[in-house]
Amino acid sequence: MSDYKLGTRCVQGGYTPGNGEPRQMPIVQSTTFRYATSEDMGKLFDLEANGYFYSRLQNPTNDMVAAKITELEGGTAGMLTSSGQAANFFALFNICECGDHIVASSSIYGGTFNLISVTMAKMGITATFVSPDASEEELDAAFRPNTKAVFGETIANPALTVLDIEKFAKAAHAHGVPLIVDNTFPTPVNCRPFEWGADIVTHSTTKYMDGHGAALGGAIIDHGVFDWMAHAEKFPGLCTPDESYHGITYAEKFGKEGAFITKCTSQLMRDFGSMQSPQNAFILNLGLESLHVRMPKHVENAQAVAEFLYSHPKVAYVNYSGLPTDKYYEVAQKYLPNGGCGVVSFGLKGGREAASIFMRELKLGAIETHVADARTCCLNPATSTHRQMNDEQLKEAGVPAELIRISLGLEDKEDLIADISNALDAI
């Protein structure tokens, strides 16, 4: 459906029913699939035929939903995972092994920072973190001969920094490695990183794509343009025979368009099993069908709340790239001309005590660790996710005690502003 506009692809992409087939994408709730002969199944194991034999690797429902997300991002191949964390791990580990190195933006989700800096380090994969604001010279200096990938987030969670995708892509390609971008917050409705030079895109589909806090999931999409064989010495996993899978050389057999996702599925999903359930994929698809309608409303509400907070005397600062005063306003105008997402962070002049009062007095904004939901949710890291830290440690971590992160849902903005105003008045 590449000839259709984005909204049409949100609604009808990935699945076209045949005559007399279900109009709604079916849930194939089966772990296994029957074949008439061993030879028929053998062709699947040899990657000589398309089909399914075990849902830990692939499932028809999942593949249809992955195909829709691939269409939305403008890629050539995609897959679903059990979570966004699994997607980021698979995307990196698919081309990195013990002794390799990653360059990553320092402004990324804390769980992903820990994945790269701690867990993958235990696997012998090191990383250099650079500021998203790093100059081209500083970025270039972070690379090593064993660097295999560059990683960043379009809009960082929760810092809300905006990645200069072209700058990071240029640096990655100059060193013969791909740029992997987590596009969870903007979604392809508001940003398509492939159009700016990214090579692999990941998502926590748990967030806006599902949009209703109903189903955990992740996705990996390949643009299909990075030439693995041109840098074969860097990527032996893709460019030399895989003896664990019949000696297949993925880059030769499946080309630029299919090598990355085929290896990720037949090797990593086989061994780690971080599969999204067909039921979750079905729920995800229901969310995708309205994604193009919901995202503008999230942005509208966030913009209105950010402007209200910016003018309020009890608010010390507001982080939202839609504000002309925001540090990332100009770069956001380039990559996110229709707005970024519905998440706003701000600090209260009264510090930790003021933040506690504000959180207590909110009525519409529920206290949750979640973001990117149809319902507004709010978090003060100092009293929840980061409560083990003192005020000085919180400041060093970029989440000072006065910081509030609010994810604006789909409610009427007048009600949201009134709720926030009442909470501020109580301080």
Side-chain angles (χ1 to χ4, degrees), residues 40-278:
D40 289 338
M41 183 172 282
K43 291 177 182 177
L44 300 177
F45 278 92
D46 289 340
L47 300 180
E48 298 291 346
N50 293 321
Y52 305 90
F53 51 82
Y54 198 54
S55 279
R56 189 178 81 236
L57 278 83
Q58 286 180 288
N59 175 280
T61 305
N62 292 36
D63 280 359
M64 288 183 281
V65 179
K68 174 178 284 191
I69 299 173
T70 301
E71 289 181 17
L72 294 176
E73 285 288 7
T76 59
M79 64 187 291
L80 300 186
T81 61
S82 57
S83 68
Q85 276 294 79
N88 285 332
F89 173 62
F90 276 22
L92 289 164
F93 197 60
N94 201 36
I95 50 177
C96 296
E97 56 188 50
C98 184
D100 287 341
H101 175 258
I102 296 165
V103 173
S105 168
S106 59
S107 186
I108 55 177
Y109 169 57
T112 309
F113 188 95
N114 192 79
L115 167 70
I116 296 171
S117 64
V118 178
T119 303
M120 294 186 75
K122 293 177 181 178
M123 304 167 76
I125 300 167
T126 58
T128 299
F129 291 92
V130 297
S131 167
D133 309 322
S135 66
E136 291 184 6
E137 293 75 21
E138 290 170 330
L139 189 53
D140 186 69
F143 286 82
R144 301 176 185 173
N146 60 336
T147 300
K148 298 300 174 67
V150 179
F151 180 86
E153 294 179 2
T154 314
I155 301 176
N157 175 19
L160 301 182
T161 56
V162 180
L163 190 72
D164 189 338
I165 302 172
E166 277 194 318
K167 179 177 70 176
F168 274 71
K170 179 182 176 182
H173 297 158
H175 290 269
V177 301
L179 171 62
I180 301 172
V181 174
D182 184 327
N183 197 37
T184 295
F185 267 13
T187 81
V189 172
N190 286 339
C191 184
R192 286 155 56 96
F194 292 154
E195 295 177 356
W196 302 101
D199 301 289
I200 309 292
V201 161
T202 62
H203 286 277
S204 170
T205 62
T206 314
K207 308 304 190 297
Y208 287 116
M209 284 188 166
D210 165 20
H212 299 83
L216 287 171
I220 308 171
I221 310 298
D222 183 11
H223 191 194
V225 300
F226 190 85
D227 192 344
W228 305 106
M229 290 302 292
H231 310 282
E233 75 286 351
K234 285 182 175 289
F235 306 105
L238 285 161
C239 302
T240 60
D242 179 3
E243 299 305 332
S244 76
Y245 216 102
H246 316 296
I248 285 172
T249 300
Y250 297 100
E252 289 181 353
K253 188 173 181 66
F254 300 100
K256 293 183 289 186
E257 297 79 10
F260 186 89
I261 293 297
T262 303
K263 177 181 181 292
C264 206
T265 301
S266 58
Q267 191 182 90
L268 300 191
M269 192 64 80
R270 173 197 66 192
D271 294 345
F272 289 99
S274 299
M275 188 72 186
Q276 187 171 145
S277 74

